[in-house]
Amino acid sequence: MRLMQGFLTTAAVAGVCAFVAASGGPAAQAPASSSPACANLAGLDLMDIRIGAAAAVAAADGVPAHCRVTGVIETEINFELLLPEAGDWNGRFLMGGGGGFVGSVQNQARNLFAYGGGPLARGYATVGTDTGHTGNGIDASWALDHPERQENFGHRAVHLTAQAAKSIIGRYYDQGPDYSYFVGCSRGGGQAMMASQRYPEDFDGIVSAAPAYDWTGIAAGFVQNQQAIYPDGDVDSPVLTPATLELLGTSILAACDADDGVEDGMMTDPRQCGFRTADLPRCEGDRPADGCVTSAQLAAIDRVYEGPTANGESIHLGFNYGGEHDQGGWDSWVVASPFRAAQGVPNAQYGFGTQLFKYFVFGDPDWDYTGYDFANWREEVAPTAAILDAVDPDLGAFRDHGGKIIYWTGWSDLALTPLGTIEYYDALAAGDPRASDYARLYMLPGVLHCAGGPGPDRVDWVEAIRAWVEDDQAPERLVASKLAADGSATMTRPVCPYPQVAVYDGTGDPDDESSFACAAP
């Protein structure tokens, strides 16, 4: 029920229920019969907030009737708040994160985490924000010479949006939320971690998936990978080819897929795989050909696995095995894909890495990644790290507030190394013997970035965190599902709290979670 001091002053009853068809979704539906409570929100007198519209939206496509509120915090932090009708509200607030550099109002709670039912269908009031700027998710030009936008993106916008939403909720329902939650993946996962570290009282429960939490270390890895794959800056001629990725991925699975007792195209824990890149067949005369690798290709592959260095020291973890030849894995994130080319970059690592250095670190749109030697990397990224990185493993204030947090990552994530999420969780646990009382980590085999891949990727994380916060039901064992196009489950597996893994019983159906037990590795 906490409201941000100073946000809300008096409630004006003037205002007409405005309808603005913007940003798609339920907002594009015809308005329902005018709701006085919803209409009055358009006339709220708010400090540092301008309400753009308050529209009653009719039920459609499984989304119940609700009030849609749009507005601006300070000068350019846009948000969209969706409020169930008073009789449908469950007394809870759920904020969803955004992906990449955001740049549009996003609410991952409505789509990525809607497995088991979207927030409105469950009765949650829910909000999303653009974090204070406009642009596509892989473009950071908006940050050039604009420290306020950088700070808003780094941490302020989510905090201010959460507090503003709670204030409006309090007026709409005549009471604030009993519980507040946040769910997000990728950048949204990093926003989740930032909230737990900087603003420990904003949320009672948090789900941080595949988190982009160490932006400067992540970007360093991205740039060094691209220096090896596109050494001369020619984005039409990558050192690695689709044939290279196919050879790499199939070779790894041939060596290690059966190690966990099930041949299913994925590894329960890729760290246990004994394959070495030196085992790959070498091309005769070091000339590129299918079915082998050149020394330049092997060096590029090893760079991705080894992680970035500066002055001979590791500055971020590399990637584990997994996702090399899966669509949406190395192709999209590390090497080249038609989808990324349509966005003006060969792959996502190239885009995010170069954009961060150009517009956050150096403030130079002409900065060239090919010649950067990282000799002064730590000093040069320090100002950016201070506003973007959420690397503090001390969650004492969040713990003492009663907060609970779930981290999860797909083992085949090629956007943000799974090993980094593990490293953070290990540091958290090492610093607090009570960490498992309020923090749990889950690793999903065969799952790519946020979703996709051969592994089961759908878990009702919203209910898991709610039950932990409100019912004190710690998530000891969850169930992940792989869904067909019609929504039916084709495979289920248990999701075990790290460091436990799902162990096959050797006789049951490998596509049924009941054939597995959570056990120490």
Side-chain angles (χ1 to χ4, degrees):
M1 297 185 183
R2 296 171 299 278
L3 304 182
M4 183 174 181
Q5 296 297 320
F7 249 117
L8 190 56
T9 54
T10 61
V13 295
V16 178
C17 185
F19 177 74
V20 178
S23 61
Q29 307 294 332
S33 58
S34 179
S35 165
C38 183
N40 288 343
L41 294 178
L44 284 180
D45 179 15
L46 302 171
M47 183 179 295
D48 291 328
I49 304 175
R50 299 190 309 277
I51 301 295
V57 181
D61 300 325
V63 179
H66 59 280
C67 177
R68 175 180 180 262
V69 182
T70 60
V72 181
I73 302 168
E74 296 182 339
T75 60
E76 53 183 355
I77 301 173
N78 290 279
F79 69 91
E80 178 190 66
L81 173 64
L82 306 179
L83 302 164
E85 293 187 342
D88 296 329
W89 186 45
N90 63 15
R92 303 178 181 93
F93 166 57
L94 174 62
M95 184 170 186
F101 288 117
V102 198
S104 60
V105 175
Q106 297 179 24
N107 181 348
Q108 293 175 331
R110 297 188 61 196
N111 40 57
L112 185 64
F113 292 95
Y115 178 63
L120 287 170
R122 298 187 185 203
Y124 287 87
T126 186
V127 75
T129 178
D130 65 359
T131 68
H133 64 272
T134 301
N136 71 57
I138 209 165
D139 169 40
S141 60
W142 50 267
L144 182 64
D145 299 326
H146 212 308
E148 181 180 355
R149 286 181 178 172
Q150 294 183 19
E151 190 174 13
N152 285 341
F153 171 74
H155 57 89
R156 290 185 74 248
V158 168
H159 170 63
L160 295 179
T161 300
Q163 295 302 299
K166 293 178 189 180
S167 296
I168 297 170
I169 288 170
R171 283 305 178 101
Y172 186 64
Y173 298 114
D174 291 326
Q175 69 173 76
D178 296 319
Y179 298 97
S180 297
Y181 298 96
F182 185 97
V183 294
C185 191
S186 193
R187 172 55 186 158
Q191 291 170 336
M193 289 180 65
M194 186 67 81
S196 70
Q197 295 169 29
R198 281 190 186 248
Y199 306 104
E201 295 190 0
D202 277 0
F203 302 103
D204 303 297
I206 292 173
V207 176
S208 172
Y213 71 96
D214 181 0
W215 276 83
T216 52
I218 291 165
F222 287 178
V223 168
Q224 291 193 13
N225 290 345
Q226 299 310 302
Q227 287 176 333
I229 297 169
Y230 295 98
D232 59 3
D234 181 1
V235 297
D236 294 322
S237 302
V239 169
L240 302 179
T241 67
T244 313
L245 302 185
E246 184 67 21
L247 172 65
L248 178 60
T250 55
S251 297
I252 291 170
L253 288 178
C256 301
D257 186 3
D259 287 353
D260 55 14
V262 182
E263 293 190 48
D264 51 8
M266 55 190 180
M267 295 169 282
T268 296
D269 185 345
R271 296 174 301 177
Q272 306 306 314
C273 177
F275 177 82
R276 296 294 177 265
T277 57
D279 299 336
L280 292 168
R282 300 297 295 274
C283 293
E284 184 177 353
D286 211 29
R287 293 185 296 271
D290 292 350
C292 59
V293 295
T294 65
S295 41
Q297 289 173 332
L298 184 59
I301 290 168
D302 285 342
R303 169 52 59 202
V304 175
Y305 292 134
E306 290 169 1
T309 60
N311 301 314
E313 297 182 358
S314 174
I315 55 178
H316 195 66
L317 290 165
F319 287 83
N320 50 264
Y321 295 141
E324 288 81 3
H325 64 314
D326 291 329
Q327 184 176 6
W330 278 53
D331 57 355
S332 181
W333 282 95
V334 187
V335 184
S337 74
F339 170 71
R340 296 302 180 189
Q343 296 178 306
V345 296
N347 60 71
Q349 289 194 5
Y350 182 104
F352 285 117
T354 57
Q355 291 281 307
L356 188 88
F357 275 94
K358 284 181 178 181
Y359 298 111
F360 278 84
V361 177
F362 294 114
D364 178 8
D366 297 321
W367 178 82
D368 182 4
Y369 77 93
T370 60
Y372 185 53
D373 65 5
F374 288 83
N376 300 311
W377 171 83
R378 198 169 300 279
E379 294 79 14
E380 288 165 342
V381 302
T384 300
I387 58 172
L388 291 191
D389 293 353
V391 296
D392 186 356
D394 182 0
L395 297 189
F398 181 71
R399 175 200 65 211
D400 295 344
H401 163 65
K404 302 287 193 296
I405 185 166
I406 289 174
Y407 308 92
W408 72 263
T409 296
W411 264 123
S412 294
D413 192 332
L414 267 302
L416 302 163
T417 173
L419 302 177
T421 310
I422 292 173
E423 181 182 60
Y424 176 85
Y425 185 80
D426 284 343
L428 170 63
D432 185 355
R434 298 165 49 196
S436 63
D437 292 342
Y438 60 89
R440 299 285 176 96
L441 169 64
Y442 302 85
M443 305 300 297
L444 276 61
V447 174
L448 297 172
H449 185 55
C450 296
D457 58 355
R458 299 292 177 174
V459 179
D460 193 345
W461 299 109
V462 172
E463 176 56 21
I465 193 65
R466 186 214 63 78
W468 197 9
V469 169
E470 299 177 27
D471 304 332
D472 200 28
Q473 293 180 5
E476 299 297 343
R477 172 186 170 125
L478 302 172
V479 175
S481 301
K482 187 70 176 176
L483 302 183
D486 63 2
S488 61
T490 59
M491 178 194 296
T492 58
R493 289 282 175 88
V495 181
C496 309
Y498 177 86
Q500 295 182 43
V501 296
V503 178
Y504 180 51
D505 65 12
T507 59
D509 181 357
D511 290 336
D512 191 319
E513 60 89 15
S514 64
S515 302
F516 296 79
C518 289

